[in-house]
Amino acid sequence: MKKIYLVAGARPNFMKIAPVVRALQTRKCLEFKIIHTGQHYDREMNDVFFEELGIPQPDVFMAAGGGTHAQQTARIMMAFEEFCEGDPPDAVLVVGDVNSTLACSIVAKKLHIPVAHVEAGLRSGDITMPEEVNRIVTDSISDWFFVTEPSGIDHLKREGKPDSAIHYVGHVMIDNLLYQLEKLEDHDISSLETSPFKAKLAINGSRYGVVTLHRPSNVDNVEMITRLCGALREIAVELPLIFPVHPRTRGNLEKFGIELGPNITLLGPQAYMPFLNLWKDAAVVLTDSGGLQEETTALGVPCVTLRDNTERPITVEEGSNVLAGTDPVRIIGEVRKILHGEGKRSQRPHLWDGKAAERIVDVLVREVSQA
């Protein structure tokens, strides 16, 4: 049986490979190994995390750790090369746009192992973003491109990729979202950390908003983070906000002495299920996350993105996402429109139906058998 390695480096990557793993387990058509590069160490990635995803623990843990982009990428490349040389696969599948995606793609290609890229073709147009560099380089050397939205097809064709290598399959993150949503409906949510906050507001019939901020361009600059937090404080006068704070963001809030006021509840980083329990019922989500733009679109939750660009334009063109930039006046105005029932109409994009992984496996079985 042909063998494929599924590479993940951080918690969101596992949410993307999980539907592919479940599809491979059902089909039993390819042998696979789950490779955890160890790019991020996350205390939430325990036995329960993998159990919730419905997948086994990783077969390999490389413990790459942190450091600069160059240091981290180099450590992953060295470890992955050694592993591939000792037990070569017939193909390598990478997801998203993290350093592990880039590193393992380069290693595989130089060892003449075909590379499949899930979430291929996404472009923000902002080359200062590390993720944009990773996307462009990975797509430049991949063999098979699994695309989530039409813009990805357009970009790949413009970059000279053949039609036969581009596969519009839908989105594995939405596969996982729908899978987890079904599990959440059968779950005792009273034990989740986010439930008391929701219950307290429910007593008064109050709505709430959810905030996530983590991009260096938003949180590392004192003027920028101060400006964004000013907008959040003003919004919170009308709408209570709950803010699971990324460690990077929390450190900068403390360093810059920024207070968010009594109407914004701060939490630590959340595991997938308690966070889904929180944002799925929000009146609005304010975020600079790429994945959350897509997930809110899938469930029709209004989203205001605090960035000047997005590599996921379908969330704006068809979905519930508004690209508000970082101007407080625009951000506050967009939230008020939503609260007053004047927000945009949206729909779930084509093929975001929970079956993307099945389509990916169909292609992999055919292509890997011929490679």
Side-chain angles (χ1 to χ4, degrees), residues 65-103:
T68 68
H69 286 282
Q71 291 168 339
Q72 187 178 73
T73 302
R75 281 197 295 270
I76 295 168
M77 289 180 69
M78 292 169 66
F80 191 60
E81 180 182 59
E82 182 178 350
F83 182 68
C84 286
E85 287 180 332
D87 185 15
D90 297 290
V92 168
L93 180 143
V94 296
V95 297
D97 51 25
V98 297
N99 288 342
S100 298
T101 310
L102 170 69

Side-chain angles (χ1 to χ4, degrees), residues 101-120:
T101 310
L102 170 69
C104 294
S105 299
I106 293 172
V107 167
K109 198 65 180 176
K110 290 195 171 185
L111 293 175
H112 309 294
I113 301 167
V115 176
H117 185 201
V118 174
E119 281 191 326

